Amino acid sequence: MTNYTTASEPLDGKVPPGPIEHKWDDHKFATKLVNPANKRKFEIIVVGTGLAGASAAATLGELGYKVKAFCFQDSPRRAHSIAAQGGINAAKNYQSDGDSIFRLFYDTVKGGDYRAREANVYRLAQVSVDIIDQCTAQGVPFAREYGGLLDNRSFGGAQVSRTFYARGQTGQQLLLGSYQALERQINLGTVEMYPRTEMLDLVVKDGVAVGIVVRDLITGEVSSHSAHAVVLATGGYSNAFFLSTNAKGCNVTAAWRAHRKGAYFANPCYTQIHPTCIPASDDFQSKLTLMSESLRNDGRIWVPKDPGDTRSPDLIPEADRDYYLERRYPAFGNLVPRDVASRASKREVDDGRGVGPLKNGVYLDFAEAIGRLGRHVIEERYDNLFQMYERITGEDPYRVPMRIYPAVHYTMGGLWVDYDLMTNVPGLYALGEANFSDHGANRLGASALMQGLADGYFVLPATISGYLAPQLGQQPVPTSDPAFVAAEAEVSERTKRLLAVRGTKSPDHFHRELGKIVWDNCGMARSQDSLTKALGEIPALRDEFYRDVKVLGSDMDFNQSLERAGRVADFLEFSELMCLDALHREESCGGHFRVEHQTEDGEALRDDDDFAYAGAWEFTGVGEDPVLHKEPLVFENVKLAQRSYK
């Protein structure tokens, strides 16, 4: 797959008309409603119960809809949203430091390197203020300052303090809030919960999403569920790289299976590399660990000026240190956006100034902050993060600097959705990291939690009625319908094919090999040569997978080998599209850095004349040339400019 065709008609994001500050309110008023007595007549499936899925299922249940919620974990509390540490953005302006809804909107569009849809980003900034009120009312223990107001700290890409936090456990605390709301609805009977159940296919009838096919991960039973609408809130695809900060179970399967059934996949090449992760310690690690971006508030990033300096970092004097982010970006310093900080760290390591046993890290130093504020203040802000670091590395970060290096963390690409969060397949919605909509080519820190909860608590519940209202009186398509029968047959055939190979290598072997290919060739830096190389190697690896994968056990019991094989098979298909998208986008923007397109000082160089669009891909078959659909991005409120954080 090195070629593609381009659709002649542009994609319509269905953005409402009018001034940007009025679009959302006007659209909500114009959207058809379903009255409370009729809501119980509609059935909605929600796949995924992280922040986006749990908040959506809870809110839809509270409104009166009949909801079925699915997750492959044993409890919604296991969702990867708990791993988000540092905070959640909102334009409350408690600090009186110049923040506003427009400034959050502006920072997000600029941080995404002008590759996001303006209307969605502005709505996100508007809704952000309501999220904090919602979560505080649920009992989320946000940090507070001495006067009793909720406290804020700074995150990358902003010169104001707008990030609300609960020490280094913000994601976990927010998930507990949405989990409690979800459990309340389960108890009331409006939500039916299906844990340890994995979605294996989307059911489409006459071009409309009507249900899903799932597998019970305990018994192996395959079954179908129908509904008036299907909502995917299944996270991102960082684990395509094998080594990432994501939980081992995170995968692309639900989104990819929907893509195979007609849903467009937008901007898959937009992958985020997080600058503050613990460096890999050997070749056999199964994942990497995130150190929160919040640490960059008080930690200073540096490398020794002399690449051969072997002294302990706490013994290297200031004169022999290069605080390279502060030197290159004096206006933002250590709080530049993630893509900028990551590339700067890579440059230092590539130039031979890496630190640690494998020379694959840089220092994140808290000595100055401890001396200025006292150790007790740093403990109050970050102690659980410091404990986690010491347990993993055996080093005390209060005494010696942390060692960090960039790692794959988040994905800005996802299923294409319109302003209502509906994909191009009627009846199929995508929320949170599973869609492409709000972050452009680079997500600012603390904005993932904001988007997930905005989509789940406020956006989807307000827009889905516009799709459901005209269906009043219609029953969901029965699961005995030929569309469901055919989908179950596809799932069965796929499973039988995996079990029949009886090869010699585990699914993890192929996943690790795939990760090396995409990291080396489509990681922090990409080129025409590297991407062409990857596009030659991925199909060959996929062919080998189907010749030599060894899947243990059977399909009629608990079988994690089968689970892994199915997910790796999807990554082997998805990664080819990710590399093709990176090859076709002849520019650098945000996390997509093509070495052929950079400024004189090594920054990303966009091509707004040719690539100011969201690229949404249509599936035509495995290994076949896909169709590219373009949604033009129009900037009426933020002026296109070369990003500068100096």
Side-chain angles (χ1 to χ4, degrees), residues 70-74 194-198 217 249-251 567:
F70 298 81
C71 71
F72 63 72
Q73 301 93 345
D74 58 355
Y194 292 83
R196 300 297 287 142
T197 305
E198 183 171 27
L217 297 180
C250 294
N251 61 82
R567 296 167 191 170

Side-chain angles (χ1 to χ4, degrees), residues 301-306 316-328 348 353 363:
I301 297 174
W302 62 277
V303 292
K305 290 182 178 178
D306 178 5
I316 298 177
E318 288 287 308
D320 294 336
R321 302 180 177 190
D322 180 10
Y323 294 93
Y324 55 90
L325 291 178
E326 298 173 29
R327 171 172 56 82
R328 294 177 192 163
E348 297 301 319
R353 287 186 287 274
Y363 289 128

Side-chain angles (χ1 to χ4, degrees), residues 88-402:
I88 177 172
N89 288 330
K92 283 286 196 181
N93 195 29
Y94 284 159
Q95 306 292 319
S96 298
D97 58 358
D99 201 11
S100 64
I101 287 173
F102 192 88
R103 188 176 294 277
L104 175 53
F105 158 68
Y106 172 83
D107 287 346
T108 305
V109 172
K110 177 183 176 183
D113 216 352
Y114 306 91
R115 288 295 177 262
R117 187 191 290 150
E118 272 196 344
N120 285 62
V121 179
Y122 193 89
R123 175 176 64 188
L124 179 63
Q126 285 178 290
V127 169
S128 70
V129 299
D130 300 321
I131 296 171
I132 303 304
D133 295 339
Q134 171 92 0
C135 295
T136 303
Q138 290 175 334
V140 173
F142 288 121
R144 294 181 180 268
E145 49 87 33
Y146 71 96
L149 287 176
L150 301 183
D151 198 13
N152 293 110
R153 55 190 177 200
S154 299
F155 257 62
Q159 290 182 303
V160 297
S161 294
R162 62 163 69 101
T163 304
F164 296 77
Y165 64 98
R167 296 185 74 180
Q169 305 173 2
T170 313
Q172 181 176 11
Q173 297 303 324
L174 291 171
L175 185 64
L176 287 173
S178 58
Y179 168 73
Q180 290 174 112
L182 174 61
E183 287 296 310
R184 178 173 179 272
Q185 295 305 314
I186 293 171
N187 182 62
L188 291 172
T190 62
V191 176
E192 188 175 0
M193 187 70 219
Y194 292 83
R196 300 297 287 142
T197 305
E198 183 171 27
M199 172 185 159
L200 294 182
D201 215 342
L202 176 73
V203 182
V204 177
K205 180 179 174 63
D206 299 328
V208 176
V210 295
I212 61 174
V213 177
V214 301
R215 180 175 183 267
D216 185 313
L217 297 180
I218 303 298
T219 67
E221 180 185 1
V222 173
S223 60
S224 293
H225 298 264
S226 67
H228 292 93
V230 177
V231 179
L232 299 187
T234 50
Y237 47 86
S238 289
N239 276 352
F241 293 85
F242 188 77
L243 281 181
S244 82
T245 67
N246 283 201
K248 283 287 288 179
C250 294
N251 61 82
V252 76
T253 289
W256 188 250
R257 302 283 169 88
H259 174 63
R260 288 174 61 112
K261 286 298 180 72
Y264 298 163
F265 212 114
N267 303 335
C269 76
Y270 290 167
T271 54
Q272 179 163 85
I273 314 296
H274 197 296
T276 54
C277 301
I278 299 177
S281 58
D282 59 44
D283 293 332
F284 301 100
Q285 280 187 236
S286 61
K287 74 177 299 295
L288 297 171
T289 302
L290 173 70
M291 288 285 101
S292 171
E293 182 177 317
S294 63
L295 295 171
R296 290 199 276 153
N297 275 275
D298 292 304
R300 301 177 69 195
I301 297 174
W302 62 277
V303 292
K305 290 182 178 178
D306 178 5
D309 198 326
T310 59
R311 289 175 290 181
S312 176
D314 54 317
L315 300 179
I316 298 177
E318 288 287 308
D320 294 336
R321 302 180 177 190
D322 180 10
Y323 294 93
Y324 55 90
L325 291 178
E326 298 173 29
R327 171 172 56 82
R328 294 177 192 163
Y329 309 101
F332 283 74
N334 294 295
L335 288 172
V336 292
R338 291 174 175 178
D339 61 318
V340 176
S342 293
R343 282 194 293 274
S345 296
K346 181 179 187 295
R347 191 179 309 160
E348 297 301 319
V349 172
D350 289 350
D351 288 346
R353 287 186 287 274
V355 302
L358 301 182
K359 302 296 182 183
N360 63 342
V362 298
Y363 289 128
L364 179 62
D365 195 337
F366 292 86
E368 188 274 336
I370 292 172
R372 174 170 47 88
L373 301 171
R375 174 169 170 157
H376 69 286
V377 173
I378 301 302
E379 287 178 342
E380 288 176 357
R381 293 176 179 176
Y382 313 113
D383 191 48
N384 61 307
L385 297 172
F386 278 47
Q387 290 177 27
M388 183 168 66
Y389 180 87
E390 185 171 8
R391 286 172 186 163
I392 292 172
T393 66
E395 300 170 4
D396 180 3
Y398 290 106
R399 187 179 63 84
V400 296
M402 288 183 178

Side-chain angles (χ1 to χ4, degrees), residues 47-56 71 73 76 79-81 175 178-179 182 233 453:
V47 185
T49 53
L51 282 179
S55 59
C71 71
Q73 301 93 345
H80 185 63
S81 299
L175 185 64
S178 58
Y179 168 73
L182 174 61
L453 292 180

